[in-house]
Amino acid sequence: MGHDLEGKGALVTASSQGIGRACALELARRGAGVVICARRQDVLDATREAIADETGRQIAAIKADLTSPADIDAVIERTVDEFGGIDVLVTNAGGPPSGAFMDFEDDAWEKAFVLNLMSVVRLNRATVPLMRKAGGGSIVNLTSISVKEPLKGLVLSNAVRAGVVGLSKSLANELGPDNIRVNVVCPGFTATDRMKELVGARAEREGKTNEEIAAGFYASVPLGSFAEPSDIAKMVAFLASDDAKYVTGVTVQVDGGFVKGLL
Ligand code: NAD
């Protein structure tokens, strides 16, 4: 570990808080300069300052909505301005709303598609030529354990995120000869604002307390607790680093054992 990402320029999207923030912090702790982005300027600025203060690394922040192709272009451009290219790309985004299949009309499906699949397509597509030019790089696309075991009440996530796995595996095959590695990390239940929101929504739907719902989540996890965002970030940083130089095309969960299948 140590400063194994020294001299690298990283882009981590949707990174003002939660899992994205933890990834940006971990990459910076290991020596990378990082561009972060999200929609709220005030939260983003506070995060930028906190990570820069703690790590002393070059951290830049740019306000962006990942559903906007123009904003994605601006984020890429900013990263190139800061670091001359992109050595490490970590794609993250907000999650789609929770609900059952019959709750959603076309517009909700289209929004989830744009936020959780098209943003990944656009970010990866803009990054590949930069990595090719630099002789390689590492892409980590963040999804969810829902790609291995569909989650109750999260039909949009269950359906749309599976596309990120298909995309990432295809890219790993296609880009291996360019020394570009592409992997997927699937967070399990992780203690963030998003998790609080999901617990609250399910409690309301099922007429239970938040504590009862949280206890149900814990019971489904062999390690018996939520992940810390840093647990996810450490896997992302490993895959970003040369320690994982022979690892591409994997979809790895960090979930306390939640997924019960063999793969
Ligand atoms: P969070 O709500 O704590 O953070 C989400 C981040 O995404 C914030 O920085 C927010 O500003 C940003 N964001 C949201 N929509 C955006 C947009 N349109 N453009 C730019 N930035 C945007 O959530 P989290 O728990 O860190 O989750 C991050 C991702 O991981 C989500 O997609 C979530 O569904 C997924 N996930 C979370 C868990 C969990 O248990 N927390 C588990 C599996 C997957």
Side-chain angles (χ1 to χ4, degrees):
M1 222 220 323
H3 288 168
D4 53 357
L5 295 176
E6 185 101 45
K8 304 276 188 201
L11 167 60
V12 183
T13 60
S15 38
S16 63
Q17 65 177 45
I19 294 167
R21 182 192 200 278
C23 291
L25 175 60
E26 186 64 23
L27 295 179
R29 279 182 178 154
R30 295 184 187 208
V34 187
V35 168
I36 60 172
C37 72
R39 289 167 305 175
R40 291 166 303 162
Q41 190 74 58
D42 53 339
V43 189
L44 195 58
D45 287 343
T47 297
R48 192 208 68 74
E49 206 175 306
I51 297 177
D53 283 355
E54 183 188 320
T55 64
R57 298 292 161 183
Q58 184 181 342
I59 311 296
I62 173 165
K63 183 169 178 274
D65 184 334
L66 293 163
T67 61
S68 155
D71 282 13
I72 287 180
D73 287 347
V75 167
I76 298 285
E77 205 172 300
R78 179 64 186 273
T79 314
V80 172
D81 284 351
E82 292 288 330
F83 307 121
I86 302 178
D87 301 301
V88 174
L89 170 68
V90 180
T91 67
N92 181 47
S98 58
F101 179 56
M102 292 306 288
D103 295 338
F104 298 113
E105 299 296 336
D106 283 4
D107 68 324
W109 280 97
E110 280 158 14
K111 277 185 186 149
F113 173 76
V114 169
L115 179 62
N116 294 109
L117 181 58
M118 279 316 295
S119 68
V120 185
V121 170
R122 290 173 177 140
L123 286 160
N124 280 242
R125 193 172 53 205
T127 300
V128 167
L130 300 168
M131 288 186 169
R132 277 190 168 138
K133 198 168 150 202
S138 174
I139 296 174
V140 181
N141 294 319
L142 277 158
T143 59
S144 163
I145 37 166
S146 65
V147 305
K148 297 213 169 186
E149 186 165 324
L151 297 171
K152 189 178 167 193
L154 278 170
V155 67
L156 294 173
S157 174
N158 296 340
V160 171
R161 291 186 197 278
V164 176
V165 178
L167 169 71
S168 302
K169 191 69 182 169
S170 305
L171 291 183
N173 291 338
E174 200 173 311
L175 302 175
D178 295 305
N179 192 32
I180 300 172
R181 296 181 296 104
V182 186
N183 294 293
V184 175
V185 170
C186 313
F189 306 128
T190 308
T192 65
D193 284 0
R194 161 86 176 163
M195 193 63 215
K196 280 186 207 143
E197 204 182 291
L198 292 177
V199 167
R202 190 185 285 187
E204 206 174 307
R205 266 201 318 274
E206 297 182 9
K208 294 183 177 162
T209 64
N210 286 5
E211 291 68 30
E212 283 169 327
I213 296 296
F217 279 115
Y218 296 151
S220 68
V221 176
L223 289 182
S225 65
F226 288 157
E228 294 299 324
S230 60
D231 295 327
I232 315 302
K234 283 176 184 154
M235 178 61 77
V236 168
F238 164 70
L239 290 170
S241 76
D242 284 348
D243 284 348
K245 68 182 172 51
Y246 200 60
V247 182
T248 193
V250 302
T251 295
V252 59
Q253 67 269 34
V254 181
D255 68 346
F258 170 81
V259 173
K260 304 300 184 301
L262 290 178
L263 295 173

